[in-house]
Amino acid sequence: MNARRVLAIDAGQSDIKVRVDDGTRREDLTFRGIHTGIPLLPQLADVVRETLARTGTDLDVVTAGISGLTDRDADADALLALVHSDGVQATMLAHDSTTSFLGALGDRHGAVVAAGTGVVTLAVGETETARVDGWGWIMGDAGSGYWIGRAALDAVMRAYDGRGPATVLTEAALSRWPDLTQAYMALQADHDRVRVVASLAREVAAAADAGDAVARDISRRAAHELASSARTAVRRVRTDEPAFDVCAIGGVFASRTLHDAFESELGEDLRLVSPRGVGIDGALALAEITPAHPLGAAVHRAGGI
């Protein structure tokens, strides 16, 4: 397996990270994030072709961990058909919860909370796996960057109306929309509105760490949601382990306020540990996952892997 030349994709809504590993060298590239409103597989095929053009690398296998992967799009055969003429011999697709787990914990038991624009939690026990949330910005993603950004906008407009306390987050909103009364119309018309809203999470983190009461409240509520997802996932797979490892990865956890609140909310029997790597590391590790692995059933394959 190590001799295979792999193009690994970590496909998120904010950006797409790519790693090419031909056995002798590695090269990393970054592309614009996936657009959830148009077909997914042609977007991945375009990334594969552009990567090959830019790196000049031949490859055998394309692996991909994909944010919000649905059954409709989890068609490894269809992706292989799109890129077979480019020299690809096999494809492997998985939800990004799987590749996030592999990047963070490898083959260890534990739970990984991956929180960026969206959020998903995956726990792996002795024999069982459990996924919690990852249901998208309309129905879920509690505690995600989008969730935080949406809460920030709500707080800004409450302050504007006089329904809520003043907050420095108003300044962040005004820098994007000088007329706050028109902000909602601009967002509704923006095809990138999910990313735009999620980008406000950075301002919330900075404001919370600087002491803004509204931003701190949003960060703590997000931490509560994320810790609740972790505890729920662990409860579904745990057997008799006295302690269970939890990894927190993704840009949301860059907030000191949120990170500390999340660790406090986990409780004494869940142990927050540092990740071994990130999502792109897990996407590359996907090439080594066999059907017999506890996560094997979560991997969609084509090309006789």
Side-chain angles (χ1 to χ4, degrees):
M1 186 66 70
N2 290 335
R4 281 182 172 159
R5 299 165 296 182
V6 180
L7 189 158
I9 301 172
D10 178 25
Q13 298 174 61
S14 297
D15 57 32
I16 297 174
K17 296 180 178 65
V18 174
R19 176 169 295 166
V20 176
D21 187 336
D22 65 3
T24 60
R25 68 184 178 95
R26 286 185 177 183
E27 186 169 351
D28 290 347
L29 302 173
T30 302
F31 297 86
R32 184 178 180 83
I34 57 175
H35 197 301
T36 57
I38 60 177
L40 170 67
L41 298 182
Q43 297 180 67
L44 298 184
D46 287 344
V47 167
V48 171
R49 295 189 190 102
E50 187 169 347
T51 298
L52 294 179
R54 289 166 60 177
T55 63
T57 304
D58 295 323
L59 59 96
D60 305 308
V61 183
V62 170
T63 64
I66 303 161
S67 174
L69 183 66
T70 63
D71 290 344
R72 179 194 64 190
D73 289 322
D75 191 338
D77 288 297
L79 179 60
L80 182 57
L82 289 172
V83 297
H84 188 266
S85 63
D86 299 292
V88 180
Q89 302 300 311
T91 54
M92 303 173 71
L93 305 179
H95 192 275
D96 66 338
S97 59
T98 298
T99 49
S100 292
F101 188 96
L102 290 171
L105 287 177
D107 284 334
R108 294 156 58 188
H109 298 162
V112 174
V113 183
T117 298
V119 61
V120 65
T121 297
L122 181 67
V124 176
E126 189 71 35
T127 60
E128 301 292 330
T129 64
R131 171 185 155 185
V132 173
D133 209 347
W135 305 128
W137 60 278
I138 294 177
M139 298 174 60
D141 286 352
S144 67
Y146 178 87
W147 187 98
I148 292 169
R150 172 65 181 80
L153 290 174
D154 180 78
V156 166
M157 299 318 295
R158 287 178 179 275
Y160 179 86
D161 287 340
R163 294 176 292 137
T167 171
V168 298
L169 297 175
T170 297
E171 297 173 16
L174 284 169
S175 70
R176 290 168 169 80
W177 306 284
D179 183 353
L180 289 180
T181 67
Q182 299 303 304
Y184 75 103
M185 295 295 292
L187 272 174
Q188 289 175 18
D190 192 336
H191 291 300
D192 283 335
R193 55 186 170 271
V194 174
R195 273 189 286 267
V196 171
V197 172
S199 71
L200 287 164
R202 289 190 293 270
E203 273 83 8
V204 174
D209 291 348
D212 181 78
V214 171
R216 289 180 70 83
D217 177 65
I218 293 171
S219 298
R220 288 165 175 161
R221 286 191 284 124
H224 175 79
E225 294 287 356
L226 296 167
S228 176
S229 291
R231 291 194 304 270
T232 299
V234 169
R235 185 171 65 247
R236 288 168 52 185
V237 304
R238 193 172 190 170
T239 51
D240 57 355
E241 295 95 337
F244 213 82
D245 289 345
V246 175
C247 257
I249 62 175
V252 161
F253 290 105
S255 165
R256 183 179 68 252
T257 300
L258 187 149
H259 183 279
D260 291 350
F262 173 79
E263 184 171 15
S264 177
E265 290 257 6
L266 285 178
E268 295 182 357
D269 61 337
L270 297 185
R271 177 176 53 207
L272 188 62
V273 299
S274 298
R276 295 180 176 181
V278 294
I280 190 61
D281 299 303
L284 187 61
L286 196 65
E288 303 175 8
I289 296 300
T290 68
H293 190 279
L295 291 170
V299 181
H300 306 268
R301 308 164 185 269
I305 298 181

